[in-house]
């Protein structure tokens, strides 16, 4: 944002957060990140990252050095918001306002752990749930053919109830177009359907109340049948990229209304694909063959040749999330870890064997073997590894926390053990665990601007966690779920 907008936003945020700080410190009216850390005694922090991303994260989420000096000449962290406000009033930083890093330092101290408050409850497994890029909409997809879109700005009003067409097994993924006019949804089928989100019809029944146009991802020459695990719009909204059960990456041209490219990308299911940054040139993919690969769209003429591979997971990849800078991303693996990657460490060697253990197991119904937990990939190129959650039964997802409110200083993930885990990116410490659900939490989503996180589970519950200033339920959520305590 520009300097004027940043200054105004910082001023408003500083004023609002001063009330939160005072209530938290004087009245104990909430849980800060430091209290959450104190409750995680059994989860010792890892060694701090000695990497460029650690420095960048600190620059984005730590206050100005003069605002962090309780004693002149000595820098102290964490810095209370009250002290930062006093420093701002005395113009210690010489700017007369909070910077975006100052604001991130304040907001990131208050994790969305209060609640949960019930958003919706269905008698069907929730598979996907995501905020739109601006946070105004929230999309939840269920195994029972329903996809619900809620208007967050209007008190979580149901904006659209979509009954999916020709569903096979479940809704495996959804994606909103950049302008939030269209939604694509996928299942275990080569046909991806697209729906007009802005139409006036609330009940969107496929080809009854609305047309759900089918985008055929199958290649004309082989006629094979496969399912699509992951689907994403390009940043310009003109294309859709998908990862499939036939080991391939597909690109569909929406303007030409045809499949434009198929890449035989891996040697097993491609469970996840995403764009590296806003340019849309680089694509990351993750597969059950244990590899994360990087693809350059400018070099797609070499269809089966990635620009690099990243090795380190011992089992298949369930999800990838990009930091958005074209360098770093995280991946969730069936080896029960999240790994942080720097693509500058990628290798050109894709022929090494992914199997290193003598054990046999199937994550769909077996627990992870104890003897495998201490194993390490001999060619691990990851920057850091995070442990504590469980990745079993389904393709559980993980994400960076929002850049605007936290400086991306956390990563968070669902888990087979029905919880949501939040880790500190730099230290590796488990800073919060959200407990409510009764079944695996496959997906969760942190609001891009506010301390609000929504989790969805196979128990059919969609619930939100927040950090309200006075500890009162948000006005848009009158019903609070009390089945579980929060730790």
């Amino acid at each position: 944002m520009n300097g004027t907008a940043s200054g105004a936003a910082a001023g408003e945020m500083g004023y609002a957060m001063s009330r939160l700080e005072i209530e938290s410190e004087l009245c104990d009216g909430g849980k800060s990140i430091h209290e959450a850390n104190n409750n995680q005694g059994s989860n010792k922090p890892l060694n701090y990252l000695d990497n460029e991303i650690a420095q960048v994260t600190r620059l984005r989420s730590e206050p100005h050095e003069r605002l962090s000096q309780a004693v002149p000449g000595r820098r102290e962290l964490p810095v209370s918001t009250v002290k930062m406000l006093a420093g701002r009033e005395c113009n210690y930083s010489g700017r007369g306002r909070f910077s975006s890093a100052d604001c991130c330092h304040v907001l990131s101290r208050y994790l969305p752990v209060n609640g949960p408050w019930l958003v919706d409850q269905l008698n069907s497994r929730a598979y996907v749930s995501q905020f739109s890029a601006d946070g105004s909409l929230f999309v939840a997809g269920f195994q029972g053919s329903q996809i619900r879109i809620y208007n967050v700005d209007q008190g979580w009003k149901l904006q659209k109830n979509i009954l999916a067409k020709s569903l096979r097994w479940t809704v495996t993924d959804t994606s909103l177009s950049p302008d939030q006019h269209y939604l694509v949804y996928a299942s275990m089928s080569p046909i991806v359907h697209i729906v007009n989100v802005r139409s006036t019809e609330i009940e969107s029944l496929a080809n009854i109340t609305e047309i759900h146009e089918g985008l055929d991802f199958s290649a004309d020459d082989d006629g094979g049948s496969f399912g699509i695990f992951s689907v994403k719009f390009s940043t310009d909204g003109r294309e859709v990229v998908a990862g499939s059960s036939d080991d391939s990456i597909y690109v569909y041209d929406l303007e030409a209304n045809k499949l434009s490219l198929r890449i035989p990308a891996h040697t097993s299911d491609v469970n996840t694909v995403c764009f590296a940054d806003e340019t849309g040139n680089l694509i990351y993919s993750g597969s059950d063959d244990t590899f994360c690969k990087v693809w350059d769209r400018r070099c797609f003429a070499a269809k089966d040749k990635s620009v690099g591979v990243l090795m380190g997971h011992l089992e298949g990849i369930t999800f990838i999330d990009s930091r958005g800078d074209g360098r770093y991303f995280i991946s969730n693996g069936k080896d029960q870890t999240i790994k942080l990657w720097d693509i500058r460490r990628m290798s050109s060697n894709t022929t090494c064997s992914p199997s290193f253990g003598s054990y046999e197991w199937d994550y769909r119904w077996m627990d992870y073997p104890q003897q495998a937990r201490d194993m390490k990939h001999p060619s691990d190129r990851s920057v850091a590894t995070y442990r504590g959650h469980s990745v079993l039964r389904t393709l559980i997802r993980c994400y960076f926390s929002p850049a605007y409110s936290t400086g991306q200083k956390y990563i968070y993930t669902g888990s087979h053990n029905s919880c949501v885990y939040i880790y500190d990116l730099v230290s590796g410490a488990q800073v919060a665990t959200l407990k409510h659900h009764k079944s695996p939490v496959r997906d969760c989503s942190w609001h891009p601007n506010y301390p609000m996180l929504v989790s969805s589970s196979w128990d059919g519950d969609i619930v939100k966690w927040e950090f309200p200033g006075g500890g009162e339920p948000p006005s848009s959520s009158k019903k609070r779920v009390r089945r579980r305590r929060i730790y």
Side-chain angles (χ1 to χ4, degrees), residues 49-196:
L49 289 181
D50 182 17
N51 190 273
E52 176 188 292
I53 191 173
Q55 178 65 14
V56 172
T57 301
R58 293 187 182 109
L59 289 174
R60 288 184 177 182
S61 60
E62 287 189 2
H64 190 279
E65 59 180 4
R66 292 184 179 178
L67 294 178
S68 63
Q69 290 175 349
V71 177
R74 188 176 72 187
R75 183 176 176 86
E76 294 185 358
L77 289 173
V79 185
S80 78
T81 309
V82 173
K83 291 177 181 177
M84 289 179 64
L85 287 168
R88 187 186 67 178
E89 294 305 310
C90 296
N91 197 22
Y92 286 170
S93 67
R95 293 188 304 262
R97 59 179 176 82
F98 280 163
S99 67
S100 59
D102 297 333
C103 296
C104 281
H105 177 75
V106 174
L107 282 175
S108 64
R109 295 182 62 202
Y110 298 93
L111 296 174
V113 296
N114 287 3
W117 286 276
L118 187 67
V119 172
D120 207 349
Q121 188 174 49
L122 273 70
N123 293 321
S124 177
R125 292 177 174 181
Y127 267 72
V128 292
S129 55
Q130 282 295 294
F131 281 105
S132 60
D134 64 358
S136 64
L137 300 177
F138 184 83
V139 180
F142 299 84
Q143 187 173 19
S145 300
Q146 280 185 289
I147 302 170
R148 293 194 168 189
I149 302 177
Y150 308 88
N151 192 314
V152 179
D153 294 340
Q154 295 183 12
W156 292 84
K157 177 183 177 182
L158 183 63
Q159 178 165 313
K160 208 165 194 66
N161 185 36
I162 299 169
L163 185 63
K165 178 185 178 183
S166 303
L167 192 72
R168 293 185 182 176
W169 177 244
T170 185
V171 175
T172 54
D173 203 5
T174 62
S175 180
L176 275 170
S177 62
D179 60 7
Q180 300 176 34
H181 281 191
Y182 296 96
L183 176 89
V184 291
Y185 63 86
S187 70
M188 295 305 294
S189 162
I191 307 297
V192 171
H193 292 91
I194 186 167
V195 184
N196 185 352

Side-chain angles (χ1 to χ4, degrees), residues 400-418:
F400 287 97
S401 64
Y404 175 81
S405 59
T406 72
Q408 295 179 306
K409 69 180 295 183
Y410 305 114
I411 57 178
Y412 63 102
T413 178
S415 179
H416 168 258
N417 68 352
S418 311

Side-chain angles (χ1 to χ4, degrees), residues 280-302:
N281 290 325
L282 293 180
I283 294 174
Y284 302 143
S285 65
S287 166
D288 274 339
D289 64 11
T290 76
F291 297 134
C292 298
K293 292 186 178 182
V294 182
W295 306 86
D296 192 332
R297 301 188 65 196
R298 294 162 294 188
C299 306
F300 267 7

